[in-house]
Amino acid sequence: MFHKTPPARVFYGWWVVIAGVVIYATLLGSYQAFGVFFKPIQSEFGWSRAITATAFFIGTITMAVLAPIVGHLSDRYGPRLIITAVGISGTIGYSLVSQVQTQWQLYACFVLMGSGGAFFVPLLAVVSRWFTLRRGLALGLTGMGGGIGQALFSPLAQILIDNVGWRHAYLILAGIMVVVVISAAQILRSSPKEIGLLPYGERGNGDVKVSGNRPASAPALKLSQAIHNKVFWMILLATGTGHLTYQMIWVHLVPYVTDPGIGVSSMVGAGLMSVIGWSNVAGKLFMGGLSDRIGPRATLIICYGVSGVAMLWLMVAKALWMLYLFSFVLGFFYGGGIPLQPALVGTIFGLSSLGAVAGGVQSGTSAGGAIGSVLGGWIYDVTGSYHYAFLVGVILFFTSMTLVALVRKPK
């Protein structure tokens, strides 16, 4: 009589990854849909593009300020509590923004909405702790939630705006957020030790059997130690300058393509954002695996370099197929690079305080993104065109590529 071998249990770290995908998709996707809301808000209040973009600036600065704090609190109290809290805070912001009547009210709401975006660091930090081998792949899978969210929420937001208006659209997004984020956050665990396991790939882990050499462990540094090393500031500047251009595109791509120069419909503009989101997913899957082979530093160099070339393409793109190609390429390499930033930080500075150290780097990343959103609007208001804004983006992408190429482990 033959007995079937019982199937091996799924390593719990992969459930953490799935929860991360859901949280990432909901929080980041709804926030980055602001580009779809941009013109309806601007049109209702008659503000300039710089003034309207300042809301996104304030929300992203809030992320920058809160990132190291949230990362530290997650290291201390665990990701379930902290991500639940930022999810509730973001939900309140999305609910209240549907009622705004003045600039300061809009800006205040984006403080709360930006606080919801501070989930990024603790989420990727906890995933890093669950994996020794396949860490790049796990981070890539988790980070693909951002692409899924962007792909889903931008067209969803446009459909809602067309049918119920931008105010009720934000209210519906708030309802989705409070249910999905809080539910998914309860799956998270700080580390494998919390439930008696070892990270994926560690010897003695009974849940998985893996082969290959374990990556060398980096000396663990606290944030207070890392900030005294020039490598920390090089990484922060590289990610900040790169993200400046990415966020400029997220906020201003739909206004750019719907302006008279190109003149596509708002739904087509939302479709371009959706293409960015889906190619973002593909980029995270591919680049995460590539990072396991060539390392996060080399992978980030590729991502920033190709993104710079894509921006040059956007400056001459007029036909719709050219815009779709731009969206695919930029989304692919943006998606591939973003989750590898904490992987690079972990490789350089170790894992024990990864939430706080990566949060410090994320502050620079968020600050750069905040500047990019307003800078794009200001250049448009002054020149009547996005040409010089995109040219700045090209320069900054190649600057980021150069800085990452110069990064070396501190002695």
Side-chain angles (χ1 to χ4, degrees):
M1 185 175 182
F2 296 97
H3 298 279
K4 291 184 179 180
T5 303
R9 290 184 295 127
V10 176
F11 178 58
Y12 195 83
W14 296 116
W15 293 112
V16 173
V17 168
I18 292 171
V21 170
V22 173
I23 294 167
Y24 208 155
T26 306
L27 288 174
L28 193 65
S30 55
Y31 186 75
Q32 290 188 334
F34 177 70
V36 177
F37 288 92
F38 191 98
K39 277 193 169 180
I41 294 174
Q42 180 194 14
S43 176
E44 177 169 331
F45 294 107
W47 298 330
S48 70
R49 295 200 177 182
I51 289 175
T52 308
T54 298
F56 197 85
F57 167 85
I58 290 173
T60 311
I61 284 293
T62 303
M63 293 184 199
V65 172
L66 290 181
I69 299 172
V70 171
H72 171 72
L73 292 174
S74 179
D75 289 337
R76 184 169 182 179
Y77 298 108
R80 275 177 295 171
L81 176 62
I82 300 307
I83 292 181
T84 297
V86 298
I88 292 172
S89 177
T91 298
I92 294 172
Y94 280 81
S95 299
L96 293 177
V97 78
S98 66
Q99 307 300 316
V100 300
Q101 299 295 333
T102 63
Q103 287 181 35
W104 76 264
Q105 291 174 348
L106 180 67
Y107 297 164
C109 289
F110 267 79
V111 170
L112 293 172
M113 293 161 72
S115 69
F119 76 96
F120 178 81
V121 171
L123 187 60
L124 294 186
V126 71
V127 170
S128 294
R129 294 194 187 100
W130 275 89
F131 293 86
T132 298
L133 294 181
R134 305 292 182 264
R135 182 180 296 148
L137 176 61
L139 288 169
L141 290 170
T142 304
M144 77 180 187
I148 293 173
Q150 194 170 15
L152 296 177
F153 278 87
S154 290
L156 172 63
Q158 187 62 57
I159 291 170
L160 291 173
I161 291 170
D162 290 341
N163 286 276
V164 298
W166 69 268
R167 294 179 182 274
H168 286 93
Y170 263 133
L171 200 58
I172 293 170
L173 294 185
I176 294 172
M177 184 178 299
V178 71
V179 173
V180 174
V181 173
I182 293 177
S183 299
Q186 308 316 305
I187 298 173
L188 301 177
R189 299 292 184 273
S190 298
S191 71
K193 292 181 180 179
E194 187 176 332
I195 57 174
L197 297 175
L198 293 174
Y200 188 97
E202 294 278 359
R203 294 185 183 277
N205 190 333
D207 288 83
V208 294
K209 296 184 183 297
V210 295
S211 59
N213 297 324
R214 290 169 55 186
S217 297
L221 297 181
K222 296 180 180 179
L223 177 59
S224 59
Q225 298 169 310
I227 60 176
H228 294 292
N229 193 292
K230 67 178 183 180
V231 176
F232 174 87
W233 295 103
M234 289 173 67
I235 297 174
L236 184 149
L237 184 59
T239 59
T241 53
H243 210 59
L244 187 154
T245 307
Y246 286 131
Q247 293 286 38
M248 183 191 297
I249 293 299
W250 307 158
V251 173
H252 295 283
L253 180 61
V254 175
Y256 169 67
V257 299
T258 55
D259 280 346
I262 296 178
V264 301
S265 68
S266 297
M267 198 64 212
V268 170
L272 292 173
M273 295 296 292
S274 184
V275 170
I276 289 175
W278 288 121
S279 62
N280 182 326
V281 173
K284 285 182 171 69
L285 291 172
F286 180 82
M287 290 298 178
L290 182 62
S291 174
D292 287 331
R293 293 177 174 85
I294 67 175
R297 186 173 71 92
T299 309
L300 277 173
I301 291 171
I302 295 171
C303 291
Y304 285 134
V306 177
S307 294
V309 174
M311 286 300 297
L312 285 170
W313 176 264
L314 177 62
M315 294 176 68
V316 299
K318 297 298 180 183
L320 192 56
W321 72 268
M322 299 174 75
L323 294 172
Y324 278 117
L325 179 59
F326 162 79
S327 296
F328 177 84
V329 172
L330 190 76
F332 186 92
F333 288 96
Y334 163 75
I338 289 299
L340 297 179
Q341 294 174 10
L344 178 61
V345 173
T347 300
I348 299 294
F349 296 108
L351 299 177
S352 63
S353 296
L354 179 59
V357 178
V361 172
Q362 181 63 22
S363 293
T365 304
S366 298
I371 293 169
S373 61
V374 174
L375 181 63
W378 179 80
I379 292 175
Y380 178 89
D381 291 337
V382 171
T383 67
S385 168
Y386 284 111
H387 177 81
Y388 290 106
F390 294 162
L391 182 60
V392 169
V394 171
I395 295 170
L396 292 180
F397 272 139
F398 289 128
T399 299
S400 297
M401 179 186 70
T402 302
L403 287 170
V404 174
L406 295 174
V407 166
R408 295 292 184 274
K409 280 188 179 183
K411 296 182 180 179

